[in-house]
């Protein structure tokens, strides 16, 4: 008689009463997912976009407070024009659908990054989404569009310098908390856990300031295949770590 191993109950690995407040995800591996299946890279991005919807919905269901995803970086403009156009089209499709369901789902959506180079229609959808969700409570999903950690820090430094020149700020009294108010993420707590699928083990210019003391979780699973079970494993791994923030844990 063949032996069948029962499927692992990954939800049992997680203490849902003590979740991290803020999880950030580098949604990587769409192109490789498509290549493995003999499909164009655009098919991988479509699968990745659908998986984002699935994971974001599940994060809301389990009570996560903040989810930040890396959707399009400042470096992604270097990709082939066809691929960039496909990504922009998927973002447009997602936002149109999200706007139609926002009153039902009541998910607060924000955007980190310089939206000015994006197509006007996409910028308008981002603004409409942001305005609609202002009065919502509960999970906040931050979508990083045309975002780069270094670019964010340069922009923040310039904004602070302008305030100093205008007499609104004093460089001699600048604190980390004050500088954080110049970032795209102003008012949002730093991520507790950063997840990167796809087997790559680097941060790729993502939330450089905010993730200074985040815990990282890397997995070989490509983003379109990153399902609830994989999220459970990431959360469980986080919950088994001791966060010291540069200090020492007694005992």
């Amino acid at each position: 008689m063949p032996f069948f191993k029962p499927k692992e109950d990954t939800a049992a690995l997680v203490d849902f009463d003590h979740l991290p407040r803020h999880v950030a995800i580098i949604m990587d591996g769409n192109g490789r997912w498509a290549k493995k299946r003999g499909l164009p890279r655009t098919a991988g991005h479509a699968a990745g976009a659908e998986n984002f919807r699935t994971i974001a919905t599940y994060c809301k269901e389990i009570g996560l407070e903040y989810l930040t995803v890396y959707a399009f970086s400042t470096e992604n403009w270097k990709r082939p024009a066809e691929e960039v156009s496909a990504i922009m089209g998927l973002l447009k499709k997602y936002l149109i659908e999200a706007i139609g369901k926002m009153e039902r789902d009541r998910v607060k959506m924000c955007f980190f990054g310089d939206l000015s180079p994006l197509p006007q229609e996409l910028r308008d959808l981002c603004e409409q989404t942001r305005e609609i969700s202002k009065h919502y409570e509960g999970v906040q999903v931050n979508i990083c569009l045309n975002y780069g950690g270094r670019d964010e820090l340069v922009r923040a430094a310039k904004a602070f310098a302008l305030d100093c020149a205008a007499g609104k700020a004093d460089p001699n009294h600048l604190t980390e908390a004050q500088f954080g108010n110049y970032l795209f993420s102003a008012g949002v707590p730093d991520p507790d856990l950063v997840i990167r699928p796809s087997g790559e083990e680097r941060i790729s210019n993502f939330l450089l300031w905010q993730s200074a003391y985040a815990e990282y979780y890397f997995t070989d699973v490509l983003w379109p295949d990153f399902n609830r079970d994989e999220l459970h494993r990431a959360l469980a791994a986080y919950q088994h770590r001791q966060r010291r923030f540069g200090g020492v844990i007694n005992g």
Side-chain angles (χ1 to χ4, degrees), residues 74-85:
T74 50
E75 291 77 29
N76 285 158
W77 295 107
K78 301 174 186 176
R79 295 187 176 188
E82 179 186 2
E83 184 173 345
V84 171
S85 178

Side-chain angles (χ1 to χ4, degrees), residues 81-99:
E82 179 186 2
E83 184 173 345
V84 171
S85 178
I87 293 172
M88 294 299 161
L90 287 168
L91 287 168
K92 174 184 170 183
K93 178 176 181 289
Y94 172 79
L95 290 177
I96 290 173
E97 292 175 356
I99 288 170

Side-chain angles (χ1 to χ4, degrees), residues 17-185:
D17 292 325
H18 296 90
L19 293 172
R21 290 189 70 194
H22 186 175
V23 172
I25 303 177
I26 301 172
M27 302 187 295
D28 192 23
N30 296 333
R32 277 167 283 172
W33 182 91
K35 185 177 180 181
K36 284 175 62 176
R37 290 160 175 76
L39 300 171
R41 289 177 60 87
T42 51
H45 292 303
E50 187 58 36
N51 194 45
F52 162 62
R53 188 196 317 273
T54 300
I55 294 297
T57 299
Y58 185 58
C59 286
K60 175 180 180 291
E61 291 174 0
I62 63 177
L64 196 71
E65 292 184 58
Y66 297 90
L67 173 67
T68 299
V69 295
Y70 209 2
F72 191 84
S73 76
T74 50
E75 291 77 29
N76 285 158
W77 295 107
K78 301 174 186 176
R79 295 187 176 188
E82 179 186 2
E83 184 173 345
V84 171
S85 178
I87 293 172
M88 294 299 161
L90 287 168
L91 287 168
K92 174 184 170 183
K93 178 176 181 289
Y94 172 79
L95 290 177
I96 290 173
E97 292 175 356
I99 288 170
K101 298 176 181 177
M102 285 185 79
E103 195 57 36
R104 182 197 70 186
D105 296 340
R106 304 187 74 80
V107 172
K108 186 173 184 177
M109 295 181 66
C110 297
F111 300 90
F112 295 172
D114 175 18
L115 304 186
S116 61
L118 302 181
Q120 183 63 51
E121 188 176 15
L122 188 54
R123 297 204 306 272
D124 291 343
L125 287 169
C126 289
E127 185 58 31
Q128 185 179 354
T129 304
R130 187 157 40 196
E131 284 297 319
I132 293 173
S133 63
K134 272 185 177 179
H135 64 283
Y136 293 158
E137 300 292 337
V139 64
Q140 175 172 318
V141 177
N142 307 307
I143 301 175
C144 294
L145 285 178
N146 193 34
Y147 172 89
R150 288 184 172 182
D151 178 70
E152 178 181 35
L153 291 173
V154 169
R155 288 174 180 276
K158 287 180 177 179
F160 175 68
L162 288 172
D163 278 354
C164 289
K168 298 178 182 178
D170 181 352
N172 294 312
H173 295 96
L174 178 65
T175 65
E176 291 182 7
Q178 289 171 334
F179 188 73
N181 290 327
Y182 290 90
L183 302 176
F184 292 124
S185 60

Side-chain angles (χ1 to χ4, degrees), residues 171-240:
N172 294 312
H173 295 96
L174 178 65
T175 65
E176 291 182 7
Q178 289 171 334
F179 188 73
N181 290 327
Y182 290 90
L183 302 176
F184 292 124
S185 60
V188 176
D190 290 342
D192 303 293
L193 171 64
V194 178
I195 300 170
R196 179 160 192 167
S198 84
E200 303 292 350
E201 296 186 2
R202 56 179 177 269
I203 57 178
S204 296
N205 204 17
F206 182 52
L207 301 179
L208 298 181
W209 175 278
Q210 300 88 337
S211 63
Y213 280 103
E215 297 295 325
Y216 275 81
Y217 179 85
F218 299 104
T219 174
D220 289 336
V221 174
L222 302 174
W223 170 246
D225 292 329
F226 188 92
N227 55 23
R228 292 185 180 190
D229 289 330
E230 295 302 327
L231 180 62
H232 292 157
R233 294 186 182 102
L235 293 171
Y238 167 83
Q239 290 176 336
H240 283 86

